[in-house]
Amino acid sequence: MTAFLIFIVLPVALIVLSLYIRPAKRDPQAGDVLGASLAAGGMFGGHGLSPDERSIPEETEPVRFNLD
């Protein structure tokens, strides 16, 4: 009976529940494209700062050393 509940009923219930879950509203501020501050504010509380106006990509090129 326990195996039936864990492997049949629980997955079916989660799938049905997932059909009713809707994503949160996107953050209207232009600097937060993915809504990260909205998610972080929900988990940790807001900090009151506005997001960056322009994203600056990190430098991801490998560092070259001259080993002569």
Side-chain angles (χ1 to χ4, degrees):
M1 181 68 178
T2 304
F4 176 75
L5 287 174
I6 291 174
F7 294 109
I8 305 297
V9 175
L10 183 62
V12 170
L14 290 175
I15 290 170
V16 170
L17 180 64
S18 71
L19 296 175
Y20 293 101
I21 296 175
R22 299 285 176 241
K25 294 172 84 175
R26 292 187 123 190
D27 200 357
Q29 299 163 338
D32 191 15
V33 178
L34 300 177
S37 69
L38 181 64
M43 293 190 324
F44 305 112
H47 49 66
L49 301 174
S50 61
D52 294 337
E53 292 295 324
R54 180 174 54 95
S55 298
I56 300 173
E58 293 183 16
E59 188 175 318
T60 57
E61 294 184 17
V63 178
R64 302 285 182 189
F65 294 104
N66 186 359
L67 301 175
D68 289 341

